[in-house]
Amino acid sequence: MNADRPTIRLRLNDRIDESRIAEVLHGIEEEGVPVEVTRHDQLNPLLLAHEASLESRLGIGIGISLDHLVITTEKLPADHPYLIAVLNQSPTIDRRAGANAARLVKRMPLSDLNAE
Amino acid sequence: MALIAGIDIGNATTEVALAELTADAAPVFVASSIVPTTGIKGTAQNTQGVFQALTIALDAAGRSLSELDLIRINEAAPVIGDVAMETISETIITESTMIGHNPTTPGGLGIGVGVTIGIDNLDRAAGGTPYIVVADRSHTFDDVANRINAVQGLVEITGAILQRDDGVLVHNRLVRKIPIVDEVSLVEKVPIGMLAAVEVAEVGRIIETLANPYGIATLFSLTSDETASVVPMARSLVGNRSAVVIKTPKGDVTERRIPAGWLQFIGDRTSEVDVDRGAEEIMRVAGTVGQIRNVRGEPGTNVGGMMEKVRVVMGRLTDRDPAGIEVTDLLAVDTEVPQKVTGGLAGEFSLEAAVGIAAMVKADRLQMQRIAHDMTAQFGIPVEVGGVEADMAVRGALTTPGSSIPIAILDMGAGSTDACVLRADAPARSIHLAGAGNMVTLLIQSELGLESAEDAENIKRYPLARVETLFNIRHEDGTVEFFDAPLPPHVFARTVVLHPDGMIPLPLRQPLEVIRQVRIKAKQRVFVTNALRALCAVSPTNHVRDIAHVVLVGGSALDFEIPQLVTRALGEYRVVAGRANIRGTEGPRNAVATGLVLAWEAQR
């Protein structure tokens, strides 16, 4: 894998099944932004997201663990992420969260993650 | 010594000037106040706001209501704040012949022509015919892509129309790439078995073939007569990134003029004008009848209903018979309103021609006398009606440092634009014209297709900016401002109004510059038009040029750009115009209230 490719980084906790993040990835894909997924034993989604953002050449990271989905940017401290959602609350919200991560890259208006 | 309150009840605000008067000395102003007007100007509901404004001013001066000797109120010219808008054109799609919208993420690229087919029937499709696949919400992107890939090599598929927002996802999974239009909300209305064309343009580009009548003619082998009939369709697709055109036997897109009816101006002469002819013609005809005494709309038409509504509302508010309400001025403005296309499949909008109208109803002195009488009873203090508003405003405006007679004032409020000229050797000439701040709000709201009047009001009042990153915004003049804390997600990448209480994101997709231009044009069409109309009417020679100095007063003179727009427009006539500073302290506010006090002083 080419580390220089500009992508959104998604850090996934080892215990989360790949199938649970399908809609999140589809949301990113529909917006046309590339994403790379890696697995980690870190349990804290805040740290996962923070480290993912530092690793991303686009500066946008997603951390998923313990039913939480966290989206942040390299410019924010680990304990103050930009967007948070409950994972698998509904396929729509998952898809929207993915789309929002991509829209942060594209600088386009975000969708509300709290409304169905 | 006497304590007197001058009170100006305006369409938007009620203002008080409180002064102490002693014999042989100039009045000493001790306090001012301003509150929102309660109810429509010139009606009994105003009393509440008057009481509130008085209380604030008296408290500030450390006086009580019982010490007050006299209240003077203005002779209001009530104006319908609820200006009206009538569309005079309409786009109708019959038989679902086209889809022209801008999904944010369509799939694929290029143009495909084929016969529409439901995705469930794909296995029964005959070879040799190109097809456009139509899939509703029940089909996921995996399903759509798998079904299309399965018939690869057997059936030729040239495009797809989807209900879900899945265009890119389907595209990425297809073996053979095709253009895909997604987010078509009423996909079930797409006719099946008809020849159709799907076009998707590159990112940052707009469609070229389906927006060109000859392009459509080439794809569908149309005759020259048929080509002429697709012109409205091609025109309505201009500017889209993706589109579908379907050839059905009777399908058509038409632009229809709605018969809006005529307006009749009754003055020294009587003249009628078709509203369809547009604002310029309406205003020209209005200018030919001399002093307008009444305006009527053709019964049974849109404009007739609109004028009737004005009369009924005014009649109810002032306890008068609607038939007896006389409209003494009218301002018409041409505008374009985004309207949902009748018969559209994806919530398409089309810009339709419309005329906005502000109407003004003649002041009823008896009505103000009744309010004065009510207030006298309620407060236990004598209340009198002080005289024509514009004359009072001139007296107030003259307290601006550097001003002197001869003077002209332009009072730009929420409901009306008034002008008055005062010269040393002649009585003051004044005029009230329909159309002011509320009309601007209406134009902004309808031209941008905003649901809330509050958003329109905010756009009118405050500058715009675009949130560029988590930490910075770009103001409408191009300057950049940085923030220490990240800006909240709900404003990210949006155009916002810089309200003093914080940024308000706008529910609009138009670029900032478009919104800004709508705002500026609305202000120009109302205030510049009315400034010229009003000054012409009060000028001794009926030419704007012959007024040397104009002082701007009223709430709309506080606006961040209206005074500049008016000053610049008047500069072309070599007229010096500037914002008033009443009593050297109040800015363009409180002119009428101050004038009411000074007029009483002069009477003695």
Side-chain angles (χ1 to χ4, degrees), chain B residues 7 35 55 114 128 156 171 179 251 257 260 346 350 414 443 451 470 563 584 603:
Chain B
I7 302 184
V35 300
T55 312
E156 187 190 356
H171 172 81
R257 300 295 279 185
S350 155
L443 287 174
E451 274 172 29
L470 259 53
Q603 268 173 29

Side-chain angles (χ1 to χ4, degrees), chain B residues 329-487:
Chain B
D329 187 50
L330 180 146
L331 174 69
V333 175
D334 280 327
T335 165
E336 284 191 323
V337 183
Q339 293 271 305
K340 217 163 195 167
V341 172
T342 312
L345 300 184
E348 291 100 331
F349 282 85
S350 155
L351 275 184
E352 306 291 356
V355 175
I357 286 179
M360 193 173 64
V361 172
K362 193 170 171 48
D364 179 358
R365 205 178 150 81
L366 288 175
Q367 177 69 19
M368 289 313 283
Q369 290 288 9
R370 265 198 297 275
I371 294 173
H373 190 80
D374 284 355
M375 286 201 283
T376 307
Q378 222 171 321
F379 302 157
I381 298 161
V383 179
E384 61 178 42
V385 179
V388 178
E389 197 171 305
D391 298 352
M392 298 303 114
V394 168
R395 285 182 189 276
L398 275 168
T399 63
T400 296
S403 66
S404 66
I405 294 175
I407 188 172
I409 60 134
L410 203 51
D411 185 349
M412 304 184 292
S416 71
T417 304
D418 308 330
C420 184
V421 162
L422 186 65
R423 288 179 301 150
D425 51 354
R429 282 178 75 172
S430 64
I431 188 161
H432 300 281
L433 297 180
N438 292 343
M439 180 78 167
V440 173
T441 308
L442 176 84
L443 287 174
I444 291 173
Q445 184 181 359
S446 51
E447 288 188 15
L448 293 174
L450 287 163
E451 274 172 29
S452 99
E454 204 185 323
D455 280 336
E457 182 75 18
N458 285 329
I459 290 174
K460 179 181 79 174
R461 281 173 183 245
Y462 308 106
L464 299 168
R466 185 176 152 86
V467 178
E468 289 196 318
T469 69
L470 259 53
F471 296 99
N472 88 281
I473 64 171
R474 188 174 291 273
H475 289 272
E476 62 174 50
D477 65 356
T479 54
V480 175
E481 183 179 351
F482 288 91
F483 295 85
D484 292 335
L487 296 160

Side-chain angles (χ1 to χ4, degrees), chain A residues 41-83:
Chain A
D41 58 6
Q42 170 65 254
L43 254 183
N44 185 344
L46 296 175
L47 287 178
L48 283 170
H50 182 65
E51 284 157 14
S53 74
L54 296 179
E55 198 180 35
S56 161
R57 280 199 58 205
L58 297 171
I60 304 294
I62 304 175
I64 295 179
S65 174
L66 301 169
D67 292 334
H68 287 287
L69 181 155
V70 176
I71 301 171
T72 194
T73 86
E74 57 183 351
K75 296 190 175 67
L76 293 173
D79 52 349
H80 284 93
Y82 202 53
L83 298 166

Side-chain angles (χ1 to χ4, degrees), chain B residues 306-326:
Chain B
M306 204 158 107
M307 297 304 290
E308 194 50 38
K309 208 177 93 190
V310 169
R311 290 199 165 78
V312 169
V313 171
M314 286 313 294
R316 200 181 57 224
L317 290 167
T318 56
D319 261 340
R320 285 158 74 193
D321 175 12
I325 303 271
E326 291 178 339

Side-chain angles (χ1 to χ4, degrees), chain A:
Chain A
M1 200 182 290
N2 181 0
D4 284 331
R5 196 167 152 240
T7 56
I8 291 175
R9 293 296 187 123
L10 192 158
R11 289 198 167 204
L12 187 63
N13 178 262
D14 286 332
R15 288 180 228 175
I16 305 265
D17 191 80
E18 196 96 27
S19 65
R20 292 183 62 194
I21 63 163
E23 282 301 311
V24 179
L25 296 179
H26 294 150
I28 301 173
E29 186 184 344
E30 177 66 20
E31 296 290 326
V33 177
V35 58
E36 278 176 64
V37 182
T38 50
R39 290 192 161 274
H40 302 265
D41 58 6
Q42 170 65 254
L43 254 183
N44 185 344
L46 296 175
L47 287 178
L48 283 170
H50 182 65
E51 284 157 14
S53 74
L54 296 179
E55 198 180 35
S56 161
R57 280 199 58 205
L58 297 171
I60 304 294
I62 304 175
I64 295 179
S65 174
L66 301 169
D67 292 334
H68 287 287
L69 181 155
V70 176
I71 301 171
T72 194
T73 86
E74 57 183 351
K75 296 190 175 67
L76 293 173
D79 52 349
H80 284 93
Y82 202 53
L83 298 166
I84 297 180
V86 174
L87 186 66
N88 301 141
Q89 201 178 331
S90 80
T92 313
I93 303 275
D94 284 356
R95 174 88 71 107
R96 239 182 246 170
N100 276 355
R103 287 177 180 193
L104 278 170
V105 174
K106 292 160 74 180
R107 290 193 192 160
M108 283 174 59
L110 309 178
S111 313
D112 190 352
L113 294 183
N114 299 314
E116 188 55 43

